[in-house]
Amino acid sequence: MTSISQTIDTPDGPFTIVADEAGRVLASGWTAEVEEVVTRIHPRLRPTDVADGQTDAAAAVIAYYEGDLSAIERVEVRQVGTAMQEGGWRALRTITPGRPLSYTEFAAELGQPDAVRAVASICARNAPALFVPCHRVLRSDGTMGGFAWGSDVKRSLLAREADAAA
């Protein structure tokens, strides 16, 4: 299976998208290193070849950074995991920009209030960053918590969304 990769410049640094033949984002992140993004793709979906090209998702990223925070919601993604992971990834896409949740609140939203560690794992295993906005989940004390692409990027995304929501 061959996938397409595209790297664009953003205010938070280079952003690389890897999409399947149908244009669905398999993985993305703030790096110019395609292989760093590819390794986040579940082995069952990981492409055997990646070619440089154009993705429809890139336009959504540009629109997001220009202030249309909902642009990323229209991008199709593809991930595989357990039923809880897949439900969690869908639920991440419903968190309102500018209104982040704590891991505890997110676990409760999933109907699993005692599954805070599992929720953190769902966020950590999220491959299509930004399109599945795991950056919108924080520690219970309001601090950043982990983020595959660094706390500076997470802080910037949250500030951008808070400003737009105000």
Side-chain angles (χ1 to χ4, degrees), residues 13 18 38-39 42 44 58 67 76 78 80 89 96 98 100 121-122 136 164:
V18 176
V38 169
T39 60
H42 189 281
R44 288 197 335 235
E76 285 190 65
R78 185 164 183 224
V80 295
W89 293 324
T96 304
S121 176
I122 287 168
R136 294 180 185 156

Side-chain angles (χ1 to χ4, degrees), residues 37-161:
V37 175
V38 169
T39 60
R40 297 191 53 81
I41 301 170
H42 189 281
R44 288 197 335 235
L45 298 178
R46 195 169 294 148
T48 54
D49 190 34
V50 179
D52 290 338
Q54 301 292 310
T55 65
D56 291 338
V61 175
I62 293 166
Y64 171 89
Y65 275 101
E66 290 176 347
D68 180 5
L69 302 182
S70 67
I72 59 172
E73 297 168 10
R74 297 184 288 273
V75 174
E76 285 190 65
V77 299
R78 185 164 183 224
Q79 297 194 84
V80 295
T82 66
M84 185 173 179
Q85 287 171 329
E86 290 179 8
W89 293 324
R90 282 190 302 276
L92 284 167
R93 297 191 89 180
T94 67
I95 299 174
T96 304
R99 295 205 165 93
L101 298 177
S102 70
Y103 289 107
T104 302
E105 291 168 330
F106 188 57
E109 290 279 321
L110 292 177
Q112 304 281 335
D114 296 328
V116 176
R117 283 188 184 270
V119 164
S121 176
I122 287 168
C123 292
R125 295 178 191 276
N126 177 46
L130 187 62
F131 304 104
V132 177
C134 58
H135 65 272
R136 294 180 185 156
V137 183
L138 305 170
R139 289 185 176 154
S140 294
D141 64 3
T143 58
M144 292 292 114
F147 186 58
W149 306 105
S151 58
D152 288 344
V153 171
K154 184 171 183 170
R155 189 174 295 107
S156 174
L157 296 171
L158 291 170
R160 175 172 282 100
E161 293 176 356

